[in-house]
Amino acid sequence: MMLLSICRCRSPVQSITVGPALRVADNPVVNAGSWAAVSVQWANGVEIHGTVSVDPNAPDTMETVTVTSRGWGGQGWIPAPGANPTANATVQIRSAGLPAVTLRLERPNVTQIWAYGSPAPGTYDWNQDWAQGQNAPWLEYAPGVDSRTQPNPKQVVVPGGDSGRNPGGLSQYRVRYWGDYGRSTPERTIRLASFGVTCYIVADEADWYDSQTGGCRSTVINGRVYEGWWENPPGLPGMTLCAAFLGETKLNGSGLTRSGTKIRWVANDVYERVQNWTTRDGDLLGQELANRLVARSPEVIPLHQPGQPRVYVELSGIGSDLLAGDGGGWINGYRLDLFKGIGHASGCPNAWSNRFAVGACNPETAGCPKRELE
C-alpha cells in the first residue's frame, strides 16, 4: 500500500492515485477539529464523496485518516476489477502549521494547583478519576474562577474537623487544556492525598498523680475506666503505678514513671522496662523529635529499609519535613499521629480531635504522592 501526503496549504493540490484502485481528490485547507471533504475515485471511474474527521489532538507534523472502499453514509461502490471489496488506503495530511497547545502545572503549596494553558483563550478539563477512602481530597475553584480563567487556579479541599479517628484518602484527577480552535493537550494525571491527623506522646505519670490527695486521677480510654493504683502490673513486678498512666501508656506506646523509669506497652495489659524508647523504624524517641515525627500505616508509607532514603511528610496547617518514622496498632490507612513530646504539657491532650490535612511525601510512595507535579 502506498501512502499519500497532502499539504494543508492555502491552495488545493492535484488528485493523486493511490495504488491501482483508489485516489483522493483535491483536499481543501483543514483546521484541526473540523471535517475534511474527501473524494475517492476508483479506477473504474466511480467516485464516492464524503467527509473524514481530522483528529484535533494530532501532532503538528502528520495526521492519519483511513479511507475505505465501503464509501460513506451507506453509499455503495463498484470495485475495480480484481479489487478487494474491503481494501483501504491510508491518507496522511500534513500539518497546517497550527500552534502547539501546551499545559504547565505548578503547585506553589500543598493545597493549591495552578494550570497554565497556551495559546489562550482556551478551556480546562478537570476530571476526578478515582478515590480511595471516604475522606479523599477534591479540587474546587475559588469564587469568580471558572474553566476558562487564565491561568487556572484550583484549591485542594479536605473535610472539616472530626472528633473520631477517621482516615483520609487518595484521589486522582485528570486535566487537559483545549485551545479554542479544537486542539487539546494530552491528559495529565495528578494524585492527591489527605490524612486524618491525631497526636501522641510519651505518657507521663506525673500528669495523673494528684499531689494534694496523694492519689491518682481517673480517665476513660476506649470505653475502659482507669482509676486508682495498679500494683505489680504485668511485666513490671515490684512497681505500683497510676492505672490511668498505664492506660495512657498503652494508648501511646511509651511512658515515663514518676521515678524516671522508662516503660513501653507490649501487648494486652503487659508492659516492660526499656533503656530507651524507640520508634517503629528504630529512631530514639524523645523530646528532640517533638513536632518532627509522625507515626503512619506501613500500607500507605512503607517502613524504612536500610540503604533507602527516609520519607518526609508535609501536612497542610501542621508542618513540613515531618519524618515518617513510627507506627502503631491504632494507625490504619490514611491516618497519621504527630509526636508532640513527653506529657500533656507538650500540647497533645488526652483526646486530640482528628483533623483532616492535605498531605504529600518526599520521596513519594505508592500510596502517598509527592507535592511537585511532573
Side-chain angles (χ1 to χ4, degrees), residues 73-371:
Q75 299 183 61
W77 57 278
I78 301 174
N84 187 326
T86 60
N88 62 66
T90 299
V91 180
Q92 291 187 326
I93 304 175
R94 205 170 290 275
S95 170
L98 295 172
V101 183
T102 62
L103 173 66
R104 178 169 58 90
L105 299 175
E106 290 184 359
R107 197 172 182 184
N109 56 62
V110 76
T111 60
Q112 288 185 327
I113 296 175
W114 286 66
Y116 297 82
S118 176
T123 304
Y124 295 87
D125 280 342
W126 298 86
N127 296 303
Q128 185 170 349
D129 197 17
W130 54 267
Q132 178 179 331
Q134 296 180 346
N135 299 298
W138 65 91
L139 295 174
E140 65 180 32
Y141 287 125
V145 177
D146 59 30
S147 62
R148 292 182 63 83
T149 301
Q150 182 72 263
N152 203 244
K154 280 278 195 173
Q155 191 76 18
V156 185
V157 183
V158 294
D162 191 315
S163 60
R165 286 178 168 262
N166 294 323
L170 187 70
S171 61
Q172 179 170 290
Y173 278 80
R174 292 170 291 116
V175 57
R176 63 179 174 176
Y177 176 70
W178 287 86
D180 276 1
Y181 55 81
R183 180 171 290 184
S184 78
T185 63
E187 286 185 335
R188 296 276 301 278
T189 299
I190 301 170
R191 295 195 308 145
L192 302 171
S194 64
F195 292 88
V197 185
T198 50
C199 66
Y200 76 111
I201 59 174
V202 171
D204 188 350
E205 189 181 18
D207 290 332
W208 300 103
Y209 176 71
D210 189 336
S211 59
Q212 293 184 349
T213 65
C216 296
R217 300 182 179 90
S218 64
T219 189
V220 178
I221 301 176
N222 294 325
R224 179 177 174 181
V225 178
Y226 293 87
E227 59 184 354
W229 297 95
W230 193 339
E231 296 183 6
N232 299 313
L236 301 174
M239 300 186 74
T240 299
L241 303 170
C242 286
F245 160 67
L246 291 173
E248 191 175 53
T249 298
K250 179 178 181 178
L251 179 67
N252 291 276
S254 303
L256 179 67
T257 70
R258 288 188 299 131
S259 63
T261 301
K262 296 177 180 178
I263 67 172
R264 78 175 187 96
W265 174 72
V266 178
N268 298 319
D269 284 333
V270 180
Y271 302 83
E272 67 178 359
R273 294 176 174 87
V274 294
Q275 184 175 359
N276 292 295
W277 304 298
T278 57
T279 68
R280 184 77 179 270
D281 288 353
D283 299 299
L284 293 179
L285 183 67
Q287 193 65 38
E288 64 277 4
L289 285 179
N291 297 302
R292 297 176 50 215
L293 173 76
V294 290
R296 83 299 201 182
S297 167
E299 296 178 356
V300 176
I301 305 176
L303 299 178
H304 178 245
Q305 300 298 323
Q308 298 297 314
R310 305 300 297 270
V311 175
Y312 291 85
V313 183
E314 179 178 0
L315 296 172
S316 61
I318 296 176
S320 59
D321 293 329
L322 305 172
L323 175 65
D326 210 349
W330 303 107
I331 309 299
N332 297 302
Y334 283 82
R335 274 278 322 284
L336 292 173
D337 250 1
L338 176 65
F339 178 63
K340 298 292 289 184
I342 299 175
H344 294 174
S346 64
C348 180
N350 188 36
W352 195 44
S353 296
N354 191 81
R355 66 182 72 175
F356 292 110
V358 181
C361 286
N362 181 30
E364 68 178 339
T365 71
C368 182
K370 62 183 178 181
R371 194 183 92 178

